[in-house]
Every structure is written in C-alpha cells, then in structure tokens.
Amino acid sequence: MKAVQFTRFGPAAEVAELVEVPDSGPPGAGEVVIEMLASPINPSEFLSFEGRFGAKAPQLPAFAGGEGVGRIVAVGKGVLHLKVGDRVLTQYAGRGSWRERILAKADGMFALPEEIGTLQLAMLAVNPATAWNMLNNFVALKPGEWVLQNAGTSSVGYNVIRMARYLGARSVSVVRRNDQVEPLLAKGADAVVVDGADLPARIAEAVDGAPIRLAFDAVAGTVTRHLGKAVAPGGSVVIYGILSGGRSEFDATDVLFRDVSIRGFWLTVWFRTTPHDQKQELYRRLAAMMTDRTIEIPIEATYPMREVKQALAHAARPHRTGKILLVMNN
Ligand SMILES: NC(=O)c1ccc[n+]([C@@H]2O[C@H](COP(=O)([O-])OP(=O)(O)OC[C@H]3O[C@@H](n4cnc5c(N)ncnc54)[C@H](OP(=O)(O)O)[C@@H]3O)[C@@H](O)[C@H]2O)c1
C-alpha cells in the first residue's frame, strides 16, 4: 500500500515521500483495519517533518499525518462496538494517517454520524476540540464577554468564532490583511482587527473598552506582547501555536504589575490524559455542531495522496481561504 513517509527532517515538500510499504495485514483481537478517506494538512505537519512538533522528534523513518477519517474494512475478534463500514477518527491510532490502510486498536473509537461529509469529519479531532477546550478550560466566560485571538482566518480561529457565539460570548480576531476583515465578519466574527501599529489600543476600541480576560495566541513572536497588553489585569494569554517560529516576547511588567498569565494548551496532552468516555462525549458534541453547521471549516482544495508534494506546497501558502486536505482511496 501507499504511504507518505520521511526518513530525514527538513522542509515538508523536500522530505515527504510517497512510498510503497507492506500492507497492514488482518486485524488481531481488539483491532480494526481502517481504510483512510481524508486527512487535513495542518500546520503541525510542517513542524513534524522538521522534527519540531512536540517535546521529542519522532523516530525515523516516520509516517506523516496527524489526524483524519477512515472507514473500517475489517474487525478483529472481540470488537463489538464497531462494524465494517463505520467511519472513525484515526486520531486514536496515533500519528501516521497519510497511508492507505491503518491497523489499530479499537479502544475508544466510535462510529461517526453518517450525515456529516467526510472532509469535515476529517478535521473534527484536532481543531474543533482545541477551540472548545481553550474556550472552556481556562476562564468561565460570562454572557457577552469578549475573547481575543490572532490567526482569525485559521481553522481553529473559525471554530473559536462560531463556538464563542454558541457559548454566548463574543470574539475579536486579529488578522494579517485588510481584505480578510469582511469575509471573517460574514462568517460570524463579532469584531476583526488588522495586525499592526497600536494593536492593543485598536483591540480596546473594537470592544468598546470592555475587559478581556482570555486571549488565544497561535502566532507567538512579538504579538504575544500585544495580546498581553490587550487583556485586562488578571487575564490569560494562552499560547497554542508557534506560527511565527517559536520565540515569544512579553512585557514582564504586564505579568508582574497586572497579573497577566501566559499559559499553554496542547491538544496532544488532553488526548493522552482524558478518559475515552469523556473524549467521546466531546467528539459527539462537536460532531452534532458540525451536523447543524454551528461549525463548518472552510476548504480550499483537496489532493490525491500521490500529489502530496503539491498539496504541501499549497498548504504552505499564506492567505488561503480554507484547509488543504489529502484524499485517499478515492
Ligand atoms: N496547541 C494545539 O493543541 C493545537 C491544535 C490545533 C492547532 N494548533 C495550532 O493552531 C494554529 C492554527 O492551525 P490551523 O490548523 O487552524 O491553521 P490553518 O487553518 O492551516 O490556517 C493557518 C493560519 O495561520 C496564519 N498564519 C500563518 N503564518 C502566520 C504568521 N507568521 N503570522 C500570523 N499568522 C500566520 C494564517 O493566516 P493568513 O490567512 O493570513 O495566511 C492562517 O490564519 C497552528 O499554529 C497550529 O499548529 C495547535
């Protein structure tokens, strides 16, 4: 079967290789074989190819791909909660979703609702769960309260916008370009501010001076300092991405004299430490939000797995209008 593999660390489009590897074989007791359907190219894939995703670089050679959706094609002895034909999240099988078939333990997996399109489902495990956890696990938001985020045009950003509204809160999003403002407002953002000079003052103006207790930072770099200045005393800036490279700057006087906290969120830790029933409860809830279109992640293009290099080059472009996904097995 075909799989995307890398045998050295480096820029994604250089080190990603489509290779032929032995098939997964039949499932043992408690296992299933999943035929992959689709998987998004998330920014974490680029970090993974570079050996910078998480605290430890993966062992080489490594299969690429962090999440996705597939259909069960064989069920091992003792697996009673799943059947051939069910679609499942491959997050439960660990990294390596860019291959045609995966042999995995069935623990924790559950059948996804049939009414949701495969491409949306392929993006359920990571970004919606990240947005939901960040909105719910740091601050108890009050009705009408504002949350602040950068990378407003990202998939996490769209989820934050829709979920903030669903939770009765409001969102103010920072974007990089003027022409991103109107489309984001049309998608449900309550306020949008373009990054640049006097950012904290312009954020304050956008929310009419209301105190902001929670900000999400996907970018790091100098913007962490701006978010730290935009939040109210006692507020939190949650760093969850390193799109600008990895080093953040903040003003120690905000931490010292205004009690601003710099926190972190990594879904991998949540996934590892949360019991299966609680994860399932959240994923079922998020799937229901996809069914009624409370959340809907924009898609710009799909590519077959054999065009993985073109897909990676496309995913690396700035100012996309949506996600790039790989589709497998037609
Ligand atoms: N901590 C976690 O557990 C977790 C989970 C999920 C995602 N994430 C992180 O969340 C972030 C967004 O992921 P995603 O999948 O939602 O992204 P995405 O849909 O692929 O979109 C990429 C976003 O990044 C923005 N961007 C790229 N480089 C940037 C830079 N140097 N400065 C400012 N903005 C930049 C783009 O802005 P333009 O539209 O202007 O190009 C776009 O909004 C990533 O950092 C990802 O690793 C973290």
Side-chain angles (χ1 to χ4, degrees):
M1 67 166 174
K2 300 263 184 293
V4 178
Q5 210 182 40
F6 51 114
T7 53
R8 62 188 171 93
F9 297 119
E14 282 177 28
V15 299
E17 295 295 344
L18 188 70
V19 293
E20 191 67 35
V21 295
D23 213 336
S24 54
E31 293 179 335
V32 288
V33 175
I34 304 164
E35 194 166 81
M36 279 305 299
L37 297 172
S39 171
I41 301 184
N42 290 328
S44 53
E45 310 304 343
F46 294 92
L47 295 176
S48 180
F49 282 118
E50 290 162 17
R52 297 199 297 132
F53 182 59
K56 253 191 350 202
Q59 277 210 305
L60 297 175
F63 287 128
E67 67 169 325
V69 68
R71 203 177 277 287
I72 292 186
V73 289
V75 173
K77 234 174 148 182
V79 178
L80 303 175
H81 62 294
L82 294 169
K83 60 179 187 319
V84 169
D86 286 343
R87 287 183 304 173
V88 292
L89 298 173
T90 59
Q91 181 83 351
Y92 290 89
R95 293 190 66 79
S97 58
W98 296 357
R99 40 184 160 155
E100 286 178 315
R101 275 172 295 286
I102 298 174
L103 175 69
K105 286 201 164 58
D107 290 352
M109 287 186 188
F110 62 99
L112 294 161
E114 277 305 314
E115 61 270 22
I116 309 172
T118 292
L119 297 181
Q120 287 294 314
L121 276 185
M123 300 183 282
L124 175 70
V126 175
N127 286 340
T130 297
W132 183 268
N133 278 307
M134 293 198 302
L135 282 164
N136 287 283
N137 297 355
F138 289 94
V139 165
L141 291 168
K142 298 179 189 139
E145 186 165 2
W146 289 90
V147 292
L148 167 63
Q149 65 170 344
N150 55 24
T153 53
S154 68
S155 155
V156 174
Y158 286 119
N159 280 287
V160 164
I161 286 167
R162 294 292 186 86
M163 288 177 188
R165 191 163 276 208
Y166 172 88
L167 293 165
R170 289 182 285 183
S171 63
V172 52
S173 300
V174 178
V175 296
R176 295 199 279 182
R177 282 190 357 191
N178 280 319
D179 63 1
Q180 292 170 320
V181 174
E182 284 308 318
L184 208 54
L185 289 170
K187 289 213 157 53
D190 297 291
V192 183
V193 178
V194 180
D195 200 359
D198 304 323
L199 184 63
R202 286 184 297 111
I203 291 168
E205 200 181 314
V207 301
D208 274 339
I212 299 174
R213 292 189 297 152
L214 186 57
F216 305 138
D217 182 6
V219 178
T222 51
V223 79
T224 309
R225 177 162 51 86
H226 297 147
L227 298 189
K229 300 229 162 278
V231 296
S236 295
V237 177
V238 180
I239 298 179
Y240 74 100
I242 49 172
L243 287 164
S244 69
R247 274 171 184 269
S248 255
E249 235 179 59
F250 59 87
D251 187 335
T253 64
D254 289 317
V255 176
L256 177 58
F257 299 126
R258 299 199 312 115
D259 192 23
V260 169
S261 303
I262 310 289
R263 314 278 300 269
F265 177 80
W266 192 30
L267 189 79
T268 303
V269 172
W270 172 82
F271 196 86
R272 267 193 217 132
T273 56
T274 303
H276 282 321
D277 57 337
Q278 283 174 37
K279 281 190 289 215
Q280 228 180 75
E281 191 185 322
L282 178 57
Y283 284 133
R284 286 187 195 282
R285 179 177 208 156
L286 298 173
M289 291 168 85
M290 274 186 171
T291 306
D292 69 13
R293 301 208 161 166
T294 301
I295 51 177
E296 193 170 18
I297 304 172
I299 293 170
E300 183 161 286
T302 62
Y303 288 81
M305 208 167 54
R306 65 175 182 281
E307 292 176 15
V308 62
K309 282 184 187 284
Q310 293 93 315
L312 284 164
H314 190 164
R317 281 184 216 152
H319 315 311
R320 280 181 278 108
T321 56
K323 270 284 175 210
I324 309 303
L325 292 100
L326 292 176
V327 289
M328 297 88 170
N329 298 299
N330 300 315

